[in-house]
Amino acid sequence: VDVSNIGKDGLLSRSRIASILHDLNTLFLQQNSEDSKMLKALAKCLDVCMNGVDILQKQTRRLRLRYSIMKARNRETGTDGKAKLLPRYMLLTKIHHHYLSRVMLRHRKLHDSLLVQNLLKQVNLLSTNEHSGVRGRGQLALLSCCRRYRNACAYSLPRLISLLEDKNVDAAGHEQRIIGATILLQTKYFQGRILRDWSMIEHFLLTLCRSHHNDKESVLDALDNLFATFLSYWYQISLDIPAYVHWDESLIKLEQSTVPFVGYSRMLEALVALLKTNPNVHWRFKLMIIDAVTVMIRDDVPTPISVWEAILDGMVSDISHIREACFPALSSALELIQTTQRNKEESLLGNRLLPDKCFTHWNGPPPKASFTEWNSNVRKKVVTKEYSEQVRACIMQYFCNDEYIEKLCSFMSVVQLGRGKSFIGSHAQMFKGLLKAFGLQVITKLRTFLEALLADAQAYSHESSDVYIGKQCLASELLGGLVRGMKYWPEQDQEEAKGMAFQLISYVLATPELESVGIWAACLRFCLYDRHPRRTSWLVEFLVERALPAHIDLSSHSILTCKRIILVKPILKELGWRGGPIHRQIAHDLEPYLHHPYAQMRACVGSILSVLSRVTWEPREFASMPSPADAEHLSSEQSHHMHLLCCSRQAGMSELLEAPPHTECKLIGSETMLRLVDKCAREWSTLANRCKYMSDGKNCSDEAEEQAMKDSRVQLRHLRHTLITWTCSVCPEYEAMYRCPVESFLPILLPPLLQALDDKDPELLRQAKGCAELTANTPIVDEVLPHVLLAVRSVSKSQSWQVRSSVLPFLQIIIFRHQCSIRKEDMKMVQDLMVSLLQDSQVEVREMASVAVSVLVRITGEELAMDLKTLFVQWSQHDISSMQGRAGEPVDDAREGKAGEDSSDKKALKASLQLRHAGVLGLSALVGAYPYDVPQWMPEILVQLALHVLDPMPIKHTVRNTFGEFWRTHQDAWPVLKGRFTEEQLTALTNLLASPTYFS
């Protein structure tokens, strides 16, 4: 270092330090470029020297000092004459404003000098160095320099872009330099500079799309990520933005941007020309070009014909990714040339919380459709008649070419060539755009494919799955585009298109296979989505009439019937509440299939019943029904509601609902659902009566009658399965509806569902348990809950102990879910029911009742426990002295179950044992309600339970299990809880129990 340049204070000037750093960087970059540590240190020194990073620390100290000064100066004088500090938020606001002012001053661009330019060149080299550590420090320095110095960005950005197409692949660090350039170009700073100048956008995009020189995956991924970063911005940029800066022309020559930008079409043509000049380029760069062209098609600039040709060629490309990008590209381009039809704009004010997108009468009128008039006016100026003719001629040239159509059909219908095994909406949207813009002529050549498909009705049996499904996918996409695209056609052309659609739908309905049913269901949903019913009435009527015709017996064709039912579901979903007559027709047609012999068929019926429940749902209303004395004054509708609730009683099942007539809930729902639930209740009542007659042991007069009874039992099982499938589909999840659509029908549907728990079919039993749990977890309104509990109480009187036992877990869940809304009298009814089941004749029911009582005590509190304590102690002390001789002998309920073989003494002994066992189970429930605590009244109960440790089975077993569970849950805190027992109680427990270590 030259000593003469040292100042009087012994320090070098900043310019001299910068010159030294420049020399050091030049030396190491030329002679020792592998020394990454030194280069990293030099990059940091350059950052500090050029951007004044050390000044930031001085600014912080000055800011703290300024804060103290402001705090001392900004004082107010109060009414008492004393100084009053300024409110803190005002003080902080002033400080923040001062800070922003300092930042703005610091960020003012500084003039560059020759030394700064030389240092900037070195910073550029360091920011794209092959070593990641050096590159990281250099990138930070480069960003700071571009923000601080004028013309720094104009110099750096063209050089970073030129690195993307660096052809010197064999040079050391080529891969890392490209990655470094992509990282810098993805920063917000350089993104903003590129997107503010159309000339730079054009240069950047063309450079990126022809930057295929390095086949390494890391480079390709970096370039792909860079392209994806800018992809969504290009369509949003106005053509009227002015040029941001004059770029350094020593490396590139850019045309001066005009306002508005006139080179947009030229840029698109240049992109498409890259595909023709270099056909062997990597498929990723071909996809970049197609994606860029797709995004950059605009309303205010006509799309060049060469772009149309590139998209049409890409639809039959050998690369599946390019094909899938070209289909939506063609749809977008076709949509943007529509000048006579207005485009709807989706309303942002629509209520998305309610279930029906179409807004029913109770949910207010539908929002008015708004239209994008600006787009239509702009297109009328751009899309001239001559341009439309050119586009039409271009498209018809391709679609009238037999070879092109053959390749297009093969690519769109062969799964092995990359198409998915499902209905693809972008394909159907493309056909819709073609048909909407050019009419039926555009797919004239595709009729050959459809005719071949219709001619081979047995294709599902001899073709491979992939081939058959691929053809079905293409046919469904053609049908979707045809139905949606014929909206503006002349009437004659519409009739011809309807004939083609009818033929295709008839073929689908007549093919007995389920492999393609999901594809056609998605196609029908696409056809009907957001369409007015009047525009699609011809399609809906044809489907409904052909799906389940009354004059054809489909019972032997279960697969065909399942397919037709599944195809009806999208009709119901899309029409919503507007399809009232169709709802009634479908519900009527489904009645014969409620107890179909095939499980697959019953599952389809249950699924479509759930859809009917949703689309016919309305907000609930409640009204008290009059007494039977006033029934003669009822209207016909009210009489139907009462008849629906009482239909099961009239059929002989009087135990189903026991609510007094004046307290019954009025069922509010659509006529369709009321009639359907009525039908289910009648069918179940009739079949249940027949099965009950058979189970009573009455002899049948002949074999035919016996076979009829067996068939009734099978039909009852099938009907239960249908109801279970239906209920599970709407409880408790019901697709954004804030009420269960069948909640008002639960009092009628619950009995057959719970009765299914007695079925011997293991699969049906499993489904019934799951259905009961889902139903119990369903939120129910306060007006319906009492009637649900009454229905459950009626089921608890069933002759099957499995059914009686299943009622108790259902009650536990439903009481827990509704503990804040249930009425006191209903809670009292549930309590009485659980306590009464403690005396059930079956030991499994009694044990389940004990668990239910324990849960009820946890919910209600100690008040209920104290009320039940006296009753349970009294029961537990019931005398069974006559059994002392057989105290240790087990009592088998099943062995003593036959009344004809038991004497009256044995019956009395059994009743006494059941009552004592009920008392012991009740006390055990009170103990189990507090698993980690010992209330004051519990030691007395434990002593009372210990007295029964030597009682006959199953009492002894219950006592031992109770104390085992008590010790398991209380042993951790026993040193503390032990103090709540008296010495006499501990002694009694120790003496009576077989294992005194519990309380020692």
Side-chain angles (χ1 to χ4, degrees), residues 375-394:
N375 287 343
S376 299
N377 295 332
V378 170
R379 293 176 189 176
K380 290 179 182 179
K381 297 179 181 179
V382 174
V383 182
T384 61
K385 184 177 181 180
E386 294 77 9
Y387 177 75
S388 298
E389 291 297 331
Q390 292 178 5
V391 174
R392 180 184 181 87
C394 176

Side-chain angles (χ1 to χ4, degrees), residues 974-994:
W974 181 246
V976 178
L977 299 177
K978 184 177 180 181
R980 302 185 184 181
F981 293 79
T982 63
E983 291 294 334
E984 293 78 4
Q985 290 172 342
L986 289 175
T987 302
L989 292 174
T990 304
N991 294 335
L992 291 173
L993 291 175

Side-chain angles (χ1 to χ4, degrees), residues 111 129 237 311 420 446 478 508 696 782 829 890 956 965:
H111 292 283
N129 193 272
I237 304 173
I311 294 175
L446 290 172
L478 279 170
V508 174
D696 290 342
D782 300 345
M829 183 193 70
K956 176 169 58 176
E965 183 66 18

Side-chain angles (χ1 to χ4, degrees), residues 191-198 200-201 237 241-245:
Q191 284 184 37
R193 298 308 176 269
I194 293 175
L195 296 174
R196 292 190 63 175
D197 193 319
W198 272 110
M200 181 53 68
I201 292 176
I237 304 173
I241 61 172
Y244 177 69
V245 72

Side-chain angles (χ1 to χ4, degrees), residues 396-649:
M396 294 305 297
Q397 179 183 0
Y398 279 85
F399 277 85
C400 291
N401 188 342
D402 294 338
E403 183 180 355
Y404 181 83
I405 293 297
E406 183 180 357
K407 291 181 65 176
L408 181 64
C409 291
S410 64
F411 282 127
M412 296 186 69
S413 63
V414 179
V415 175
Q416 288 85 351
L417 296 180
R419 80 145 296 135
K421 292 185 178 181
S422 60
F423 176 85
I424 300 177
S426 61
H427 296 179
Q429 196 73 23
M430 179 200 66
F431 287 122
K432 170 193 170 183
L434 286 170
L435 293 165
K436 182 179 177 182
F438 306 112
L440 193 58
Q441 300 176 1
V442 76
I443 61 167
T444 303
K445 295 294 183 180
L446 290 172
R447 289 189 180 184
T448 306
F449 168 79
L450 295 177
E451 291 172 357
L453 180 72
L454 297 175
D456 191 1
Q458 302 296 325
Y460 68 93
S461 61
H462 61 79
E463 288 184 350
S464 66
S465 176
D466 291 343
V467 174
Y468 177 75
I469 290 298
K471 292 181 178 180
Q472 298 294 309
C473 290
L474 177 56
S476 65
E477 291 156 5
L478 279 170
L479 177 63
L482 182 65
V483 174
R484 303 281 299 198
M486 57 184 282
K487 177 179 178 181
Y488 296 99
W489 288 2
E491 184 176 356
Q492 183 178 358
D493 291 348
Q494 288 190 17
E495 292 300 325
E496 184 179 357
K498 290 178 183 178
M500 294 177 58
F502 288 155
Q503 292 180 7
L504 194 54
I505 294 173
S506 300
Y507 162 80
V508 174
L509 295 178
T511 307
E513 53 84 20
L514 292 176
E515 193 173 6
S516 65
V517 65
I519 298 170
W520 289 105
C523 170
L524 293 177
R525 184 179 183 276
F526 178 85
C527 294
L528 301 175
Y529 178 76
D530 205 18
R531 297 290 300 275
H532 197 280
R534 287 181 299 181
R535 295 192 179 275
T536 56
S537 59
W538 60 273
L539 177 62
V540 174
E541 291 175 1
F542 181 82
L543 281 167
V544 173
E545 290 176 1
R546 296 299 182 93
L548 299 172
H551 60 279
I552 299 178
D553 182 17
L554 296 174
S555 58
S556 58
H557 302 281
S558 61
I559 294 180
L560 192 59
T561 309
C562 286
K563 184 175 184 178
R564 296 184 174 195
I565 291 177
I566 294 173
L567 292 179
V568 171
K569 286 178 63 176
I571 300 177
L572 298 177
K573 286 184 176 181
E574 293 305 321
L575 289 182
W577 63 274
R578 303 169 296 179
I582 296 176
H583 300 161
R584 292 190 291 270
Q585 180 65 37
I586 295 297
H588 178 268
D589 294 342
L590 288 176
E591 289 180 1
Y593 303 102
L594 290 176
H595 42 70
H596 197 274
Y598 294 130
Q600 188 180 36
M601 185 67 191
R602 297 193 298 271
C604 292
V605 173
S607 176
I608 200 170
L609 288 179
S610 68
V611 176
L612 276 174
S613 304
R614 293 186 177 98
V615 298
T616 59
W617 176 85
E618 293 181 359
R620 283 192 42 83
E621 297 175 7
F622 297 94
S624 298
M625 301 187 73
S627 61
D630 300 329
E632 57 183 358
H633 303 294
L634 291 174
S635 65
S636 59
E637 182 182 359
Q638 291 173 328
S639 299
H640 175 67
H641 293 157
M642 176 173 282
H643 165 73
L644 182 61
L645 275 174
C646 303
C647 64
S648 56
R649 301 183 191 174

Side-chain angles (χ1 to χ4, degrees), residues 716-731:
L716 178 61
R717 179 184 300 130
H718 294 165
L719 179 60
R720 288 171 175 172
H721 182 212
T722 303
L723 295 179
I724 288 172
T725 306
W726 175 16
T727 310
C728 288
S729 301
V730 291
C731 295

Side-chain angles (χ1 to χ4, degrees), residues 37-54:
K37 292 184 178 180
M38 178 58 72
L39 291 176
K40 182 178 178 181
L42 290 174
K44 185 175 181 180
C45 292
L46 282 174
D47 192 9
V48 173
C49 180
M50 297 184 66
N51 304 311
V53 178
D54 55 333

Side-chain angles (χ1 to χ4, degrees), residues 594-595 651 653 680-694 708-720:
L594 290 176
H595 42 70
M653 300 295 290
C680 293
R682 285 180 177 275
E683 288 283 342
W684 175 66
S685 301
T686 303
L687 295 173
N689 277 335
R690 293 179 186 175
C691 295
K692 181 180 179 182
Y693 176 82
M694 181 179 177
M709 289 185 178
K710 291 182 180 179
D711 294 341
S712 299
R713 175 171 291 180
V714 173
Q715 290 179 2
L716 178 61
R717 179 184 300 130
H718 294 165
L719 179 60
R720 288 171 175 172

